[in-house]
Amino acid sequence: MSRLKRPPRVVVGDRVRFAGQTRGVLAVSAVALTLTDEAEPHRVVPLLELFEADDFEVVGTPMRMPLPPASLLEIFPEAVMAKALWWEGHVLEVLHGLPPGAKPGSTPRSEYAPDRSLTARQRAKAAELTAAGHPTTSSTVAHRRRRYQEQGVIGLADHRPVRRTPQFGEADEAVVKAMRQAIDEAVDASTRTGTFILWRVGEILKQTPEGREAQVPSRATLYRLLTKLTMGTHTTGSAVTRRSKAHGAKTPYGELPVFAPGEVMQIDSTPLDVLVLLDNGVMGKVELTAMVDVATRTLTAAVLRPTTKSVDASVLLARTVTPELMRPGWTDVLRMSRSVLPHRRLLALDERLEHAAARPVIVPETIVCDHGSVFISRNFKSSCRFLEIEFQPTHKGSPFEKGHIEKTLGSVATLFAQFLPGYTGRNSDQRGRHLERERLWSLLELQGLLDEWIVAKWQNRKHDGLRDPSHPGRLFTPNEKYATLVEACGYVPVPLSGADYVELLPAEWRVVNDYGIRIKNRTYDSPGLGRMRRQDSGVRAKRGLWEVHRDPYDVSQIWVRDHRCGGGWVQATWKYLNRVPVPFGDLAWDHVSHQLPRATEAEIADAVAALLTRAHAGPQTAREPKPGKRDQRVVARTKAAGPVIPPPAAGPQTAPGDETDEAEETLADVIPLGLFDPMEDPWKRS
């Protein structure tokens, strides 16, 4: 009895060679196999008959050829790819009996017939190639066939021309580890050069036995290794950027979905790179504090202060929920009634928008800020609680969590500040010369220009972050995006009365004199202050002074709390309001003016161009900056030490028609001062 050829195992999906055909296994039982057949749908073969057949062989599970990566095929030279394709044709003939490109109906050659084993076909292919002048062994053909089945045509190519080099070359692992440690130590330290990093690497290597035994490469190799390891880390660059990248998220960035105006707003402050004339006449730089709406990128408020305080953040919050009124000198194209904003429908809900400029009024739901003392102060938190706003500070050292306001403040410097006289640039390398000689704007004038620029330029500038999801190629302006979202989300005006607005303003305590109240060298008076003049307020904690609230960005008026009569407010106006054209004066608009047509893009562009031209020219009259206190003391002392020159004696005046020859005038003798000789005897008599 012949010995049965038992395979290790046969499972569904395997392919077996039986009766001159390669068949697939459809089902397996204890006594038979169900195989595919050319004439019938299937054929059941008993295991005893199958194992006794001379040509029985388990070919194996059919493998799907991998799809060749086209991008990798392009990196090989043409000669290498030509040889790989040449080998592919021969390997396919070994596997399937026919070469690629064979005509339909062709039959395999006898040495590659399906009834022959794979080993026999590989020996036949090796003999064929050797006879054709390409010496090859059957093991080489088998090796090529296996690589082709695993990798496709890429497995037949010679990889030596495109062999990848190690990431860090032949550098010792201990050196790489030490350099990584030195780079990590430099994250929160001051910026140093690569020379210090390499010195620190040497110190770290001396601390461990592995480091002392490590093979340190040449200095040039160390610098190349340092370049690879510090790529994108800013180790020798900006310290702020370095910390931001090091402490940032290591996982893919998420995005907070925002679908309504005011859902998430961000607030921050930064120095403005412009010299201005402060209230005391001294030149200085100011800080810009602004709030941006994430959904529409609207700058709801932006204020300038010499130094930002907690009360300034509360005033900014009050301005955010208050319409921006048109001001004298602003062109009509900046009215909300002539913008893309739905002014008529909003006016029916909020009467405050009747004479508003084209800047949306957005009520915050959540405010995101950093851990600056201005924003985490009790004053700002209480203002948020009063308006029912959720206060959300970011994680420490994570400025990317409020990236929208960070980018917005940078854009203000690029799009607005550089057009102003006295622009200083980002740092001392970008600063020009003799900036103090330029016509500088005062703080109040610059605030007015900034407000006008926001309405004219920023709110009508297409923003890359405001795209139509259905048509990504279309950009929106902040006003257009607000008009789109408010149609779906609606508009709810904040119930902020005039008294509420005054309560949010910073408070000061002053005496009410006969002439009124004096604040910042400005006098405010009102008939309502009559019973308060030179009277005690009754507030013992403040020594009887009266509580005064004022808007730091509006010098036209103040409000005094009447502690004696129910705590109401008495409004007092600046004494010279009607004489000086200040940008925040009282406004009087015609309530029966006709509806103006919508402003065109050309009109808005003209308004922006005129604004930038006016801003760059500076004030109409040049003003000399007032010297500082130190300079004033020097001048005063110089005048006190100088000689007293008597006034000229009264004499006959020259008639307008008379002329005097200057050459005939008698000049006084000039007695020059002697040179100081430090070696001269001071007690020597002259």
Side-chain angles (χ1 to χ4, degrees):
M1 183 176 179
S2 62
R3 186 177 179 180
L4 299 179
K5 297 179 292 183
R6 294 181 179 273
R9 68 171 184 168
V10 180
V11 297
V12 176
D14 284 351
R15 296 178 65 83
V16 298
R17 184 172 289 107
F18 172 70
Q21 295 183 7
T22 302
R23 307 169 187 269
V25 180
L26 301 178
V28 179
S29 65
V31 295
L33 293 181
T34 303
L35 307 176
T36 59
D37 190 77
E38 296 180 353
E40 301 294 337
H42 62 273
R43 178 181 176 180
V44 179
V45 182
L47 293 180
L48 185 60
E49 179 184 352
L50 186 68
F51 293 160
E52 288 183 344
D54 295 335
D55 61 346
F56 171 71
E57 181 185 3
V58 178
V59 179
T61 304
M63 299 180 59
R64 180 181 180 273
M65 298 301 299
L67 185 66
S71 58
L72 293 181
L73 294 176
E74 296 176 356
I75 67 175
F76 288 93
E78 294 183 1
V80 174
M81 283 308 305
K83 188 173 183 179
L85 295 175
W86 176 80
W87 266 110
E88 182 183 26
H90 294 290
V91 171
L92 288 176
E93 188 175 12
V94 171
L95 291 174
H96 305 295
L98 293 175
K103 296 181 180 180
S106 301
T107 58
R109 290 184 289 174
S110 58
E111 57 268 28
Y112 304 110
D115 57 345
R116 300 199 61 179
S117 64
L118 185 61
T119 303
R121 282 180 281 176
Q122 291 175 167
R123 286 198 296 264
K125 178 56 68 175
E128 177 186 345
L129 294 178
T130 302
H134 304 284
T136 308
T137 61
S138 59
S139 60
T140 302
V141 176
H143 176 71
R144 299 278 182 175
R145 187 260 307 168
R146 287 191 296 269
R147 288 180 60 87
Y148 181 76
Q149 290 179 325
E150 294 173 359
Q151 305 176 22
V153 70
I154 291 291
L156 302 176
D158 185 0
H159 286 68
R160 287 177 295 178
V162 293
R163 183 174 298 169
R164 294 185 180 92
T165 58
Q167 182 179 6
F168 303 118
E170 302 298 331
D172 195 314
E173 182 64 27
V175 177
V176 176
K177 182 179 179 181
M179 189 169 291
R180 290 186 186 275
Q181 180 180 343
I183 294 172
D184 293 339
E185 293 176 355
V187 169
D188 295 320
S190 300
T191 301
R192 293 179 170 90
T193 62
T195 303
F196 174 83
I197 301 296
L198 297 186
W199 172 84
R200 181 57 186 155
V201 170
E203 295 296 313
I204 295 174
L205 290 175
K206 296 176 183 178
Q207 299 174 1
T208 59
E210 296 82 1
R212 289 191 291 268
E213 297 176 359
Q215 296 294 329
V216 180
S218 64
R219 197 166 187 81
T221 303
L222 286 175
Y223 271 110
R224 288 193 294 268
L225 179 60
L226 180 64
T227 302
K228 292 181 179 180
L229 292 176
T230 59
M231 185 175 298
T233 62
H234 293 264
T235 300
T236 58
S238 171
V240 176
T241 307
R242 179 173 64 252
R243 290 192 296 268
S244 177
K245 288 185 173 295
H247 300 308
K250 301 299 185 292
T251 57
Y253 287 130
E255 183 177 357
L256 180 64
V258 181
F259 304 102
E263 187 174 355
V264 176
M265 302 185 73
Q266 298 177 359
I267 185 173
D268 198 9
S269 61
T270 185
L272 189 68
D273 304 322
V274 177
L275 292 178
V276 299
L277 288 178
L278 303 178
D279 290 343
N280 55 4
V282 178
M283 291 185 307
K285 297 181 67 173
V286 294
E287 291 186 359
L288 169 65
T289 305
M291 185 179 296
V292 66
D293 175 50
V294 176
T296 64
R297 302 301 197 275
T298 295
L299 264 174
T300 57
V303 294
L304 300 173
R305 292 291 290 165
T307 302
T308 305
K309 301 179 180 179
S310 59
V311 293
D312 299 321
S314 300
V315 173
L316 188 73
L317 188 59
R319 285 181 170 270
T320 298
V321 298
T322 306
E324 182 72 62
L325 297 179
M326 289 289 294
R327 302 175 190 171
W330 286 15
T331 177
D332 288 335
V333 299
L334 302 184
R335 291 176 178 267
M336 182 181 290
S337 57
R338 299 193 61 186
S339 67
V340 297
L341 300 174
H343 178 255
R344 291 186 177 181
R345 289 195 294 272
L346 295 178
L347 183 60
L349 301 174
D350 194 347
E351 296 180 355
R352 303 176 302 170
L353 302 177
E354 183 175 1
H355 302 296
R359 193 210 70 188
V361 178
I362 301 178
V363 181
E365 296 181 10
T366 302
I367 292 182
V368 180
C369 62
D370 56 20
H371 289 262
S373 59
V374 174
F375 306 116
I376 62 174
S377 62
R378 181 183 57 83
N379 193 318
F380 184 66
K381 290 182 179 179
S382 62
S383 300
C384 291
R385 284 195 300 269
F386 172 75
L387 295 175
E388 299 181 356
I389 299 172
E390 182 180 354
F391 177 77
Q392 182 62 55
T394 62
H395 295 87
K396 292 186 177 181
S398 303
F400 60 88
E401 294 183 358
K402 53 179 181 64
H404 296 291
I405 186 63
E406 296 278 354
K407 183 64 176 178
T408 298
L409 294 178
S411 298
V412 172
T414 304
L415 302 175
F416 174 69
Q418 66 175 343
F419 292 92
L420 299 172
Y423 176 65
T424 61
R426 285 283 184 180
N427 48 51
S428 58
D429 293 338
Q430 301 177 0
R431 183 162 182 164
R433 301 178 61 188
H434 309 304
L435 299 181
E436 67 280 356
R437 301 179 184 177
E438 300 182 5
R439 295 183 175 183
L440 304 180
W441 292 101
S442 68
L443 181 59
L444 294 178
E445 293 170 336
L446 187 58
Q447 179 69 60
L449 291 173
L450 176 62
D451 293 336
E452 185 178 0
W453 177 84
I454 291 174
V455 176
K457 176 64 177 180
W458 181 267
Q459 293 299 124
N460 296 284
R461 174 178 174 266
K462 294 185 181 298
H463 199 289
D464 186 67
L466 303 177
R467 292 184 178 271
D468 188 351
S470 303
H471 305 86
R474 180 184 178 186
L475 299 177
F476 286 100
T477 67
N479 279 352
E480 292 174 344
K481 191 66 175 181
Y482 176 84
T484 302
L485 295 180
V486 78
E487 293 291 339
C489 305
Y491 174 80
V492 179
V494 62
L496 188 66
S497 63
D500 295 334
Y501 179 83
V502 175
E503 288 288 355
L504 291 176
L505 298 179
E508 298 182 12
W509 296 84
R510 290 289 189 274
V511 175
V512 181
N513 294 296
D514 293 334
Y515 54 82
I517 300 175
R518 191 173 182 84
I519 299 178
K520 298 288 185 179
N521 296 323
R522 296 185 179 92
T523 303
Y524 298 86
D525 200 0
S526 170
L529 300 178
R531 59 179 177 273
M532 304 180 189
R533 302 182 191 277
R534 294 192 174 277
Q535 298 297 318
D536 192 294
S537 66
V539 182
R540 296 305 175 191
K542 295 296 182 179
R543 305 189 307 276
L545 300 179
W546 297 85
E547 182 181 357
V548 179
H549 284 212
R550 68 183 187 91
D551 190 340
Y553 321 105
D554 186 352
V555 299
S556 62
Q557 54 193 349
I558 61 174
W559 292 268
V560 184
R561 192 190 298 273
D562 192 348
H563 298 281
R564 295 292 186 182
C565 298
W569 295 102
V570 177
Q571 179 180 347
T573 308
W574 184 23
K575 184 177 180 180
Y576 298 106
L577 177 63
N578 298 328
R579 299 184 184 181
V580 181
V582 296
F584 297 91
D586 292 335
L587 304 180
W589 296 99
D590 185 6
H591 289 263
V592 295
S593 60
H594 63 280
Q595 183 69 23
L596 296 174
R598 177 172 295 181
T600 63
E601 184 176 355
E603 291 175 329
I604 296 176
D606 293 341
V608 173
L611 168 64
L612 295 179
T613 301
R614 189 172 72 254
H616 181 70
Q620 295 297 327
T621 58
R623 293 169 297 195
E624 293 295 334
K626 183 180 179 180
K629 293 182 178 180
R630 179 181 177 86
D631 297 332
Q632 293 176 2
R633 289 195 298 267
V634 172
V635 173
R637 292 173 180 174
T638 303
K639 290 182 179 179
V644 179
I645 302 177
Q653 299 183 357
T654 305
D658 298 341
E659 296 182 357
T660 303
D661 188 2
E662 297 181 0
E664 297 177 359
E665 293 182 358
T666 303
L667 300 179
D669 296 335
V670 178
I671 303 176
L673 295 176
L675 297 178
F676 173 70
D677 187 0
M679 304 302 296
E680 184 180 4
D681 184 4
W683 307 109
K684 180 181 178 181
R685 295 180 179 275
S686 56

